[in-house]
Amino acid sequence: MFGRLPVSKARYERLAPGERARLRARVRSWIARSVVPQGDHNVDLFFEQCERVADGFISRAKDFDPALPDRDIHQALRNQWVFNSIQAFCGRPASLTPSSFAYSMLYPLTDNRLDAPDLPAAERATLVRWLSSRLAGVDAGEREDDRRAQIARLLDIIEGEFPRGGFPDVHRSLLAIHNAQKQALVLNAGEDQDREAELLMLTLAKGGTSVLVDGYLVTGTLDENLGENLFGYGVLLQLIDDLQDLDEDCANGHSTPFRRAGNGPALEGLTNKLLNFVRSECRRMSGVSAVPWLLPLIEQSCVSLILEAVARYHRFYDFPWLRMIGECMPVPVDYLGGLRTRMNRRLEEALQ
C-alpha cells in the first residue's frame, strides 16, 4: 500500500517535502483503515479514492507553492477529506476538484495566519479588511504581498468553477465562513467563563459554516434540509478538533469549550455530550443521505477520534470516569493514547 518506499530513514529525510507529505498521508490512511470495520466494498473503494485524491492534492499543492511546509499541506488535506465525505454523502465518487483544492488551501493561508499569536493586531485587522472586500467581489489590491496574491489566486480558482453571477450562494457561503472566523478571533484572547454561551456560539458558527462551504462546492447549491445537516456535521467536526487540540490550545491561550471546562467532572460531562452528539447527528444525517455505508463509517471514525483524544489527555479526567469509558473502547486506554506514537513508529518501520 505504501508504493515505492525509501530504504532507510536517512533517505526519507532527503526526500522532497512533497514526497514526505505523500508518504505520511498514506500512513494516515492506514491508521484510518485500522479503526473501522473492513470488508465492505464501498468503504474500501472510498478509501482507495481518497488515497488517490491525497496524491493528486499533494502534487498540486507543491506546484502551487514549492516552499509550502508539510504541516500546511496536511492541514489542507483534512478539509479535502471532509469534502470527499460530502461527495460520498451526495452519492458521488471522491475526487479532487479545482474548488476543493482552492478552499482547502485557504486554511493555512487565512485561518492559521489570523490565529497566529505573533501577528500584530494592525496587520491582522488589515488582512481581515482586505479579505472581506475580496470575498465580496471587490478588487482590493491583492498583489501587494505574496500572501494576498496566493489567496487571490485560490479565490480566482473557485470563481472559475463557480462564477459569482451564476452561483451567488457559493460566494455567500465563503463570506459567511470568513465572518465566522473573524468573529471567533475573540477566542484567541483566552478564557472568559462569564461569556460561555456567547463563546460557544462562535465555535459552533465557525465549524458549521466551514463545512457548509464544502457542501456548496460539491453541488453548487443546497436545499435547506441538506444545508442544515452539513452545518451540524461541521459543528461536530469542530468540537472533535477542539478536543483533539486541547494541549495546543492551552499552550497558545485559545479558548475552546473543552479548555474552559477544565479538569474532572465538567470535562467528562462535555465529552459525554460530544459522544452522544456523534450518534444523534449521524442518525439525523442518515435521513438525508441515500448512502447506507457512509454514516456508520463517519460515526465510527468520529468516536475513535474522541476516544483517542480522551486516552491522550487522560490526566484531565478522573479515574472512575476513565474506567467507565474504557468499557466503550475496542482496545485499552493506553493503546489508544499511544496511537500517534505508533503511527510514527509504523512510518519508521516502513522506511527500514
Side-chain angles (χ1 to χ4, degrees):
M1 106 179 236
F2 290 103
R4 293 186 302 166
L5 295 174
V7 297
S8 68
K9 186 176 179 181
R11 186 175 175 188
Y12 167 75
E13 297 295 339
R14 293 195 297 271
L15 284 176
E19 291 301 317
R20 292 201 301 268
R22 185 172 289 107
L23 187 59
R24 295 190 70 86
R26 290 174 181 169
V27 172
R28 182 185 176 111
S29 176
W30 173 83
I31 292 295
R33 289 172 183 264
S34 73
V35 299
V36 298
Q38 298 298 296
D40 188 308
H41 170 73
N42 294 299
V43 174
D44 292 340
L45 179 60
F46 176 69
F47 276 121
E48 290 171 6
Q49 291 171 348
C50 288
E51 288 177 13
R52 289 196 293 270
V53 166
D55 280 348
F57 188 100
I58 292 166
S59 295
R60 186 163 184 181
K62 298 310 294 186
D63 289 340
F64 179 82
D65 182 0
L68 195 67
D70 284 358
R71 64 180 180 274
D72 287 352
I73 295 177
H74 285 293
Q75 181 191 13
L77 261 176
R78 290 171 69 179
N79 183 77
Q80 177 64 50
W81 285 323
V82 172
F83 180 88
N84 292 149
S85 72
I86 297 174
Q87 286 177 312
F89 187 82
C90 295
R92 305 184 183 194
S95 63
L96 177 64
T97 71
S99 291
S100 73
F101 170 79
Y103 178 53
S104 300
M105 289 291 292
L106 283 171
Y107 274 89
L109 290 173
T110 59
D111 201 28
N112 281 10
R113 187 57 179 159
L114 292 173
D115 284 344
D118 61 344
L119 182 66
E123 186 176 340
R124 179 178 289 106
T126 297
L127 179 58
V128 167
R129 285 195 301 270
W130 174 83
L131 191 51
S132 297
S133 297
R134 186 62 178 78
L135 289 170
V138 177
D139 184 348
E142 57 261 22
R143 310 300 171 182
E144 291 182 4
D145 60 53
D146 290 342
R147 180 176 295 272
R148 294 187 194 180
Q150 286 185 321
I151 293 172
R153 285 170 58 197
L154 294 171
L155 293 176
D156 286 343
I157 290 171
I158 295 174
E159 191 157 0
E161 186 173 4
F162 295 100
R164 189 175 293 273
F167 299 91
D169 286 344
V170 169
H171 299 276
R172 291 191 188 105
S173 70
L174 287 166
L175 194 55
I177 177 58
H178 171 63
N179 287 333
Q181 289 172 332
K182 178 173 62 176
Q183 293 167 6
L185 288 174
V186 69
L187 298 174
N188 296 347
E191 301 180 12
D192 188 344
Q193 300 288 352
D194 296 333
R195 303 171 59 199
E196 177 60 32
E198 176 188 351
L199 297 179
L200 179 60
M201 291 303 296
L202 294 176
T203 296
L204 303 188
K206 182 177 179 180
T209 53
S210 172
V211 173
L212 202 58
V213 176
D214 283 312
Y216 277 111
L217 295 181
V218 169
T219 64
T221 185
L222 295 175
D223 62 50
E224 184 176 349
N225 195 17
L226 180 56
E228 287 181 357
N229 277 271
L230 293 182
F231 189 94
Y233 183 31
V235 169
L236 173 60
L237 294 178
Q238 180 67 56
L239 292 172
I240 292 173
D241 279 348
D242 284 348
L243 177 58
Q244 288 197 305
D245 295 340
L246 187 54
D247 263 351
E248 182 179 343
D249 289 329
C250 288
N252 293 331
H254 294 170
S255 182
T256 71
F258 297 96
R259 185 188 173 194
R260 294 193 297 272
N263 300 344
L267 181 60
E268 292 158 6
L270 193 57
T271 307
N272 285 336
K273 289 181 180 179
L274 181 57
L275 286 165
N276 289 329
F277 184 42
V278 171
R279 175 169 296 183
S280 64
E281 189 61 27
C282 287
R283 285 180 176 174
R284 189 165 74 99
M285 291 171 66
S286 66
V288 178
S289 177
V291 184
W293 56 267
L294 180 64
L295 273 303
L297 174 63
I298 289 177
E299 181 174 351
Q300 290 157 355
S301 299
C302 288
V303 169
S304 295
L305 291 172
I306 294 169
L307 295 181
E308 184 274 332
V310 167
R312 188 154 34 94
Y313 299 129
H314 62 87
R315 66 188 184 278
F316 296 133
Y317 297 90
D318 292 337
F319 179 75
W321 185 87
L322 283 174
R323 184 173 57 188
M324 179 273 296
I325 206 70
E327 297 176 359
C328 304
M329 295 185 178
V331 294
V333 171
D334 57 352
Y335 179 90
L336 274 179
L339 193 57
R340 291 190 176 185
T341 300
R342 276 188 301 281
M343 184 181 80
N344 291 330
R345 187 183 305 128
R346 171 83 178 196
L347 175 61
E348 292 184 6
E349 290 172 354
L351 297 173
Q352 298 305 313

